[in-house]
Amino acid sequence: MRLESSCVRRLVLAAALAAPGAAAAPSPWRLSEAGRRALEAVSADSLRGHLSFLASDVLGGRVDGTTGLDVAAEYVAAQFRRAGLEPVGDDGYFQPAPAVAATPSQEGFRFSVALPEAAIEVPPEAFAMTTVEPLAIDGVEMVKVPSGQTDTLAVLAGRAVITEVEEIPPGRRREAFRDRQRWIRELQAAGPALVVALDRRLGIPTGYFGLPVLTEPVSASAAARGRVVTTWSAELARAYDALPAWRPSGRLSLHVGEPRRQAMTLRNVAGVLRGSDPALNATYLLVSAHYDGTGPRVGASGPDRIWNGANDDGSGTVAMIELASTLQHLSPPPRRSIVFLAFFGEEKGLLGSAYYAAHPLVPLERTVADLNLEHLGRTDSTERNKAGTASLTGYDYSDLAAVFEEAGRATGIEVYKDDRRSDAFFADSDNYPLAAVGVVAHTVCVVFEDFADYHGPGDEWPKIDFANMTRTVRMVGAALLMVADSEQEPRWRADASPAAPYRAAWRRQRGEAEPER
């Protein structure tokens, strides 16, 4: 639908411009011939070579806090060095961030439910919690709340809530997940002592005990989730079916000991291509991607237990590397300076980008935009083949979409708004912490979560459409050069109400007064 409507808009615009007396306003976004020639060097073989290493089994899925992530960081830094980028981190190409990993301890664990007819002990392998903390709850009344119901939340205060989470349909994964999270937050707002969620589909060891979890820096998403216990205990599930809803029907006790904590360092990777224009080279464009992955689900069975994260987000990382290598050969360089940033911790709650937004390596008030790259390699969407197309999150929030549409016309890529996902995903990738401090920041992608292997062991590099990815990277490079070589900066759109907080943050960064109402 969107492809057709965008074609219609272009035809209407062309007809209007062809009308007598119509004068086409010159676009501030232009791709130079030198830039076009430089982007022809983007190579499918180069992309394939980088990605086949970063998404290889030997890196174990690039999980935050592991050796595999450290190796990936060193590889990205080596490619920045090879491209001749200037180090811009606090430690060469690295921006170290202090972190703490906490490992839940099974010592002293007990999770029991006392019912009139039975006493149920939940084993540690069937237990997980969204937080890592010591906990002692003894004999609190338990109330069953059917999934999605919010009839009489007032009765939940001080009690333990037990509910069941239903399977999320693949066709509307993001919407259903957000509906679930919203409902859980409503339950938590009622002030229960604990929320226990039954998930019958798990059935394998959760791996909660003995698995290190990043507890610092604290992600906004972790704080929003609060403390929720998940269990697949078959005995508790059978008892749940027989419990009356909304009435105290048993007592719950839970003891979790103090976790083991270990200090560590995580690293963003950063290099800069200095601009050539004396008036503009102290302004900056960011090109970013996250280089961490989700890793395997603990307890997963089957022959392939490594979640390689080729598309999410090895593809964005190697696209950034390829652009750094390609644009380094431009003579003269782009007018503005371009910072290439690889973030840690996106999969743990946008940690690396949030750390950068709080500790910027170049001034935020001089940062004109962030082009964040995700999911650029796969075209085999569950909806349709998406070769030759690309989209942006928060499509209507700024005029950066117009730049990408222009870049798409220059490179043969249809840039369109995904009406269902564009706004929904704006706050779910590394563009968001930059937008929250005012930088015009969007994520560019070919697919969103709509490919079969999203966050699973099948997301491997041989499934990448490297021919299409080559065109996509050239399109991103064209948009990058159009902004880098223009005296005009992208702006948050005044007529986009969802962009209001980002416009306000942008004004604060620039020291501008609030507009009169």
Side-chain angles (χ1 to χ4, degrees):
M1 290 293 291
R2 179 67 191 186
L3 293 180
E4 293 174 1
S5 62
S6 85
C7 291
V8 170
R9 285 201 312 274
R10 287 202 302 274
L11 289 173
V12 171
L13 178 61
L17 293 178
S27 171
W29 319 113
R30 295 180 180 274
L31 178 62
S32 69
E33 188 56 37
R36 190 187 305 274
R37 289 196 303 270
L39 292 172
E40 290 176 358
V42 172
S43 161
D45 286 337
S46 180
L47 294 167
R48 185 182 293 107
H50 293 307
L51 191 53
S52 63
F53 175 73
L54 284 175
S56 63
D57 284 357
V58 73
L59 270 66
R62 308 184 306 280
V63 180
D64 291 283
T66 66
T67 300
L69 188 79
D70 290 338
V71 172
E74 293 289 348
Y75 185 84
V76 174
Q79 298 309 315
F80 286 177
R81 194 175 293 115
R82 176 177 176 269
L85 297 185
E86 179 183 325
V88 72
D90 302 317
D91 179 18
Y93 289 102
F94 300 112
Q95 182 186 33
V100 173
T103 304
S105 173
Q106 191 173 322
E107 185 176 351
F109 170 78
R110 188 184 177 207
F111 183 14
S112 62
V113 174
L115 300 172
E117 302 81 9
I120 298 170
E121 296 287 336
V122 176
E125 63 269 18
F127 171 88
M129 191 162 59
T130 52
T131 60
V132 179
E133 59 178 326
L135 194 61
I137 296 175
D138 289 297
V140 298
E141 286 186 320
M142 187 177 70
V143 177
K144 172 181 174 178
V145 178
S147 177
Q149 294 187 18
T150 56
D151 295 349
T152 53
L153 292 181
V155 304
L156 305 182
R159 292 173 165 142
V161 174
I162 184 166
T163 188
E164 182 174 10
V165 293
E166 298 176 346
E167 186 173 0
I168 291 177
R172 56 181 304 271
R173 185 179 331 190
R174 183 54 52 111
E175 297 92 331
F177 179 77
R178 287 192 167 170
D179 289 345
R180 175 194 290 180
Q181 293 299 100
R182 188 181 304 112
W183 173 63
I184 292 290
R185 286 195 297 271
E186 289 183 21
L187 292 181
Q188 291 171 324
L194 187 69
V195 174
V196 177
L198 275 170
D199 192 339
R200 304 174 198 250
R201 295 160 299 124
L202 294 178
I204 58 174
T206 64
Y208 178 78
F209 294 105
L211 178 68
V213 176
L214 287 176
T215 56
E216 296 179 28
V218 178
S219 73
S221 59
R225 285 197 306 268
R227 184 203 298 144
V228 178
V229 164
T230 301
T231 179
W232 51 261
S233 165
E235 191 176 2
L236 188 56
R238 286 192 295 271
Y240 174 86
D241 292 336
L243 293 177
W246 298 103
R247 294 211 310 269
S249 51
R251 292 188 176 273
L252 180 148
S253 298
L254 174 62
H255 284 250
V256 182
E258 183 73 38
R260 300 185 300 274
R261 303 182 190 275
Q262 178 183 0
M264 61 174 56
T265 299
L266 298 172
R267 299 180 293 177
N268 291 327
V269 191
V272 62
L273 173 62
R274 292 291 175 187
S276 59
D277 189 311
L280 294 177
N281 66 5
T283 62
Y284 300 89
L285 267 169
L286 308 183
V287 183
S288 61
H290 73 87
Y291 70 100
D292 67 315
T294 53
R297 174 179 159 190
V298 175
S301 59
D304 187 358
R305 303 187 185 187
I306 295 178
W307 296 10
N308 302 84
N311 198 49
D312 182 18
D313 186 31
S315 65
T317 303
V318 304
M320 179 188 59
I321 289 172
E322 185 72 359
L323 286 171
S325 178
T326 299
L327 299 185
Q328 181 63 31
H329 299 295
L330 267 175
S331 183
R335 298 175 70 191
R336 299 185 192 273
S337 296
I338 301 174
V339 178
F340 296 86
L341 272 169
F343 292 127
F344 70 86
E346 192 267 2
E347 299 291 1
K348 302 299 183 184
L350 315 182
L351 299 182
S353 52
Y355 187 83
Y356 180 89
H359 307 87
L361 297 172
V362 298
L364 292 175
E365 68 273 14
R366 294 178 178 269
T367 302
V368 301
D370 170 42
L371 279 57
N372 188 58
L373 311 179
E374 277 232 51
H375 298 193
L376 297 185
R378 297 283 287 268
T379 56
D380 55 327
S381 165
T382 53
E383 294 182 344
R384 58 180 173 83
N385 188 285
K386 291 191 175 180
T389 70
S391 190
L392 276 73
T393 62
Y395 198 92
D396 300 320
Y397 295 3
S398 83
D399 56 12
L400 201 56
V403 181
F404 275 91
E405 289 179 358
E406 189 74 25
R409 286 189 285 270
T411 54
I413 298 288
E414 175 74 29
V415 179
Y416 72 105
K417 177 180 179 179
D418 186 311
D419 290 316
R420 187 158 68 89
R421 298 182 177 91
S422 176
D423 290 0
F425 276 76
F426 184 76
D428 289 345
S429 194
D430 282 318
N431 64 286
Y432 181 70
L434 277 301
V437 293
V439 176
V440 174
H442 300 260
T443 293
V444 188
C445 52
V446 173
V447 296
F448 288 83
E449 92 294 7
D450 52 320
F451 60 101
D453 307 311
Y454 177 65
H455 283 184
D459 184 11
E460 298 182 325
W461 69 265
K463 296 181 180 179
I464 298 296
D465 183 344
F466 285 103
N468 187 74
M469 186 175 171
T470 301
R471 288 195 295 156
T472 303
V473 174
R474 288 174 180 160
M475 182 273 293
V476 173
L480 177 63
L481 290 176
M482 286 176 178
V483 178
D485 287 332
S486 175
E487 295 190 8
Q488 181 164 320
E489 299 179 9
R491 297 291 181 99
W492 296 110
R493 285 176 50 177
D495 61 345
S497 57
Y502 316 124
R503 289 196 304 271
W506 183 87
R507 287 192 295 268
R508 289 192 295 271
Q509 286 292 348
R510 305 287 176 108
E512 296 184 3
E514 292 287 330
E516 293 185 4
R517 296 188 177 184

